Amino acid sequence: MRWHSLLPVALGVVLAGCAGGESRPLPRTGTTSRIQENGFGASGRSVRTLVYVLRHDMAEATEDDDRFARELAAAAPGTRVITLTQPIRGGSDPATAASRGFTRDRITHFADRIEAGRTRYPDVPTVLVGDGGGAAIAADLAGLRPKLIDGMVLAACPCMLPEWRKHMEKRMPGTSFQAAADSLDPLMTVGGIRPQTKAALLVGADDPITPPKFSRGYAEALALRGIATDYRVLPGRGNAILNDPEVLSATTRMLAALQADR
């Protein structure tokens, strides 16, 4: 295990080593396809924590995509886990996803769904789990709509978007990852995150798509905000880490901590 210490300012950043689904699509809007929503775990008055899983931009929801949600619902009784997927039309092209995936309009679509959940369950902690592009959206959302969430777990995050785009252009010569005019970089929105928000970032040491430096830079920015941040590099792991046990463990720890704070 590779551990990292982030100690800017006065903050010591903390480092840390099933029910059936229900589908509910929303109307197609803008440059994106419908949001696919699947629910797992607790419901009604038994809900004590609420988790939204924001998934990769480029794939329709599949049973395997729901594995993390099912396992989290089983590991954290009393948790309602909702997966949100909104594929980008033309998103099989990673450059298209990179340009359209992080716009204010798209982030608002996700935020509105999460606000609806908070209205239904007003007195329970809410956590976002983001994977890849979903992690960058979760980070932006935490800055733009800070009252909606109490914590976020970001897996394989391209959390420094301009630098990540340059990285991808080097990996894919001749491909332009030009940003949309209203694209939002998590480092632009980090100032809006509430200091009491809890954060965890996990990234594979051998991730060729979103190398650790893009998570570390964002973790440092969170720390400078006074936000308790759990940053972990997973040895031998690549880009696909959502279903890694370490991500599940980081999420259950956060849920337990939020419950203890209540």
Side-chain angles (χ1 to χ4, degrees):
M1 180 69 65
R2 185 184 304 174
W3 302 92
H4 296 259
S5 178
L6 304 172
L7 299 172
V9 196
L11 176 69
V13 180
V14 182
L15 299 175
C18 186
E22 308 155 11
S23 296
R24 186 155 47 125
L26 296 179
R28 181 174 302 225
T29 58
T31 59
T32 57
S33 301
R34 63 181 184 174
I35 289 179
Q36 183 71 34
E37 177 179 320
N38 294 330
F40 302 85
S43 61
R45 294 183 179 180
S46 64
V47 175
R48 298 196 300 272
T49 51
L50 184 62
V51 176
Y52 281 93
V53 183
L54 278 56
R55 296 185 294 198
H56 270 203
D57 299 319
M58 294 182 289
E60 295 283 356
T62 68
E63 183 177 355
D64 186 64
D65 288 330
D66 290 335
R67 174 182 158 190
F68 175 82
R70 294 195 308 269
E71 291 183 349
L72 179 59
T79 298
R80 178 69 173 168
V81 186
I82 299 172
T83 61
L84 297 178
T85 306
Q86 188 184 42
I88 297 170
R89 292 205 288 270
S92 58
D93 174 7
T96 299
S99 65
R100 298 180 183 172
F102 312 108
T103 62
R104 186 180 295 271
D105 181 62
R106 187 162 191 249
I107 293 162
T108 297
H109 291 164
F110 282 99
D112 289 346
R113 296 307 306 150
I114 294 162
E115 185 172 22
R118 292 219 70 162
T119 300
R120 185 175 182 183
Y121 303 104
D123 299 320
V124 304
T126 298
V127 170
L128 302 186
V129 177
D131 177 32
I137 290 172
D140 279 330
L141 195 155
L144 294 175
R145 305 276 285 272
K147 293 182 179 180
L148 290 185
I149 74 164
D150 301 287
M152 58 181 174
V153 179
L154 310 180
C157 186
C159 277
M160 300 166 65
L161 282 174
E163 293 82 358
W164 176 76
R165 288 186 171 101
K166 292 178 182 178
H167 167 76
M168 291 302 293
E169 286 178 345
K170 290 180 180 178
R171 281 185 52 84
M172 303 177 65
T175 302
S176 173
F177 282 76
Q178 182 176 358
D182 58 345
S183 182
L184 294 173
D185 176 17
L187 288 180
M188 293 168 53
T189 61
V190 69
I193 299 176
R194 295 187 300 168
Q196 61 266 43
T197 304
K198 298 184 186 299
L201 288 89
L202 299 94
V203 60
D206 301 327
D207 184 344
I209 306 298
T210 54
K213 62 183 178 181
F214 300 130
S215 291
R216 181 180 176 88
Y218 186 69
E220 291 173 342
L222 290 171
L224 287 168
R225 286 278 298 153
I227 296 167
T229 303
D230 172 356
Y231 169 67
R232 175 176 295 196
V233 177
L234 307 181
R237 312 303 206 280
N239 180 255
I241 62 169
L242 177 61
N243 293 324
D244 191 285
E246 296 291 349
V247 178
L248 180 66
S249 179
T251 307
T252 55
R253 285 197 305 271
M254 183 176 292
L255 293 174
L258 288 169
Q259 280 289 340
D261 289 345
R262 291 275 162 151

